[in-house]
């Protein structure tokens, strides 16, 4: 997908990018490739692939009508090089985006990226999701949490649901729709007082299948969740 094809596809779906937004995506690509030589950010560095498999893929929640340009608080867990939240932030500048990542080198990249792209209302924190979720400044503070290819739902729900306000939603972007994954997660979702609201199926323009699982938080999360760092992975709920 060339940048031009990217713009045209968005235009067909009612999103007209300004020259500034186009420049932001272009600079994003340049910095991603430049920094990828110093730290491992992505295996995908060819321009057309980045526009398709990172930029277009990341904005799926906008294209699927789950996110629009409003002042809502969005948390992105394990965003790596800023996916999916920062491409969505370029398209929806009103979003208030927080990223938590366990690798400080990636946080340094994201800070520089935000500066270069002149993004406001973006906040970056280095640490484990399990630790920040027990901090009152973060717990139950967000309208949306996004996670792209981070973990199976059974683990992911414990890492993300505690951050949501009651009524808030987790948007889990996935490349495979394993029904057994949602089956496995039933107990975790019950313990965390949350419920699968939707499981959207769509395809990238090249035909690759994609899914967004939407989980709604119904009640406050019990204080004991999430458990200590590493436990959700070692002993899923």
């Amino acid at each position: 997908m060339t940048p031009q094809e990217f713009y045209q596809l968005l235009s067909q779906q009612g999103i007209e990018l300004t020259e500034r937004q186009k420049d932001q995506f272009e600079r994003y690509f340049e910095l991603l490739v430049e920094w990828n030589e110093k730290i491992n950010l992505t295996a995908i560095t060819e321009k057309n692939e980045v526009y398709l498999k990172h930029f277009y893929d990341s904005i799926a929640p906008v294209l699927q009508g789950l996110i629009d340009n409003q002042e809502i608080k969005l948390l992105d867990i394990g965003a790596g090089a800023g996916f999916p939240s920062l491409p969505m932030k370029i398209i929806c500048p009103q979003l208030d985006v927080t990223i938590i990542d366990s690798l400080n080198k990636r946080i340094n990249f994201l800070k520089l990226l935000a500066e270069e792209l002149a993004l406001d209302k973006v906040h970056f924190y280095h640490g484990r999701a399990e630790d920040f979720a027990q901090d009152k400044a973060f717990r139950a503070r967000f309208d949306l949490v996004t996670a792209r290819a981070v973990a199976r739902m059974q683990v992911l729900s414990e890492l993300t649901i505690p951050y949501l306000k009651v009524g808030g939603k987790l948007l889990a972007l996935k490349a495979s729709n394993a029904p057994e994954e949602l089956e496995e997660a039933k107990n975790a979702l019950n313990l965390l007082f949350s419920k699968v609201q939707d499981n959207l199926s769509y395809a990238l323009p090249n035909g690759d299948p994609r899914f967004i699982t939407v989980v709604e938080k119904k009640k406050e999360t019990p204080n004991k969740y999430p458990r200590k760092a590493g436990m959700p992975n070692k002993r899923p709920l």
Side-chain angles (χ1 to χ4, degrees):
M1 175 184 283
T2 65
Q4 204 56 42
E5 287 168 337
F6 177 70
Y7 310 149
Q8 283 167 354
L9 268 173
L10 293 193
S11 177
Q12 285 165 19
Q13 295 179 72
I15 299 170
E16 297 291 345
L17 295 185
T18 63
E19 287 307 313
R20 179 169 182 263
Q21 287 170 315
K22 291 175 185 177
D23 290 344
Q24 284 174 315
F25 276 114
E26 184 61 23
R27 187 69 183 126
Y28 198 152
F29 165 72
E30 290 168 359
L31 286 168
L32 181 70
V33 171
E34 186 185 312
W35 271 67
N36 203 54
E37 291 177 7
K38 307 178 220 176
I39 61 171
N40 181 28
L41 291 168
T42 176
I44 297 168
T45 54
E46 198 273 315
K47 190 169 193 172
N48 291 359
E49 293 279 285
V50 169
Y51 269 82
L52 173 68
K53 293 183 178 174
H54 282 325
F55 295 163
Y56 191 86
D57 194 29
S58 288
I59 62 171
V62 178
L63 300 178
Q64 295 292 327
L66 298 169
I67 291 179
D68 54 20
N69 192 21
Q70 290 184 57
E71 284 189 45
I72 53 172
K73 287 174 73 88
L74 182 149
L75 172 67
D76 195 1
I77 291 287
F83 306 126
S85 56
L86 295 188
M88 291 195 287
K89 171 69 179 172
I90 293 172
I91 301 247
C92 301
Q94 292 297 316
L95 288 176
D96 189 310
V97 172
T98 298
I99 289 177
I100 294 172
D101 198 275
S102 59
L103 193 66
N104 205 35
K105 287 177 183 174
R106 284 196 291 252
I107 293 293
N108 290 337
F109 163 72
L110 293 170
K111 284 178 176 171
L112 175 95
L113 178 71
E115 205 173 293
E116 287 268 335
L117 271 49
L119 300 175
D120 64 352
K121 293 188 289 189
V122 286
H123 325 278
F124 306 109
Y125 297 93
H126 168 234
R128 297 288 298 250
E130 296 98 321
D131 298 331
F132 278 103
Q134 293 294 359
D135 183 331
K136 284 182 181 163
F138 293 84
R139 191 178 181 89
R141 297 284 177 186
F142 296 90
D143 303 296
L144 292 173
V145 178
T146 55
R148 178 175 175 253
V150 170
R152 290 175 75 81
M153 186 59 76
Q154 193 177 8
V155 175
L156 186 64
S157 54
E158 187 175 358
L159 298 178
T160 55
I161 301 291
Y163 287 99
L164 289 167
K165 299 172 182 174
V166 173
K169 295 186 177 99
L170 161 65
L171 308 181
L173 284 71
K174 294 184 170 286
S176 64
N177 176 30
E180 69 270 15
E181 191 177 320
L182 288 179
E183 194 59 39
E184 277 173 7
K186 271 187 175 174
N187 185 52
L189 294 171
N190 283 337
L191 289 170
L192 297 161
F193 300 131
S194 53
K195 190 175 181 187
V196 175
Q197 191 186 56
D198 209 344
N199 202 23
L200 298 170
S201 163
Y202 57 99
L204 294 183
N206 68 344
D208 285 354
R210 290 290 186 269
F211 302 87
I212 301 177
T213 304
V214 183
V215 177
E216 185 177 358
K217 178 169 176 170
K218 296 295 193 179
K219 284 162 60 177
E220 288 297 350
T221 309
N223 290 334
K224 62 182 172 182
Y225 303 120
R227 293 163 293 166
K228 285 182 181 168
M231 284 301 290
N233 259 316
K234 278 184 201 158
R235 294 219 301 267
L237 294 173

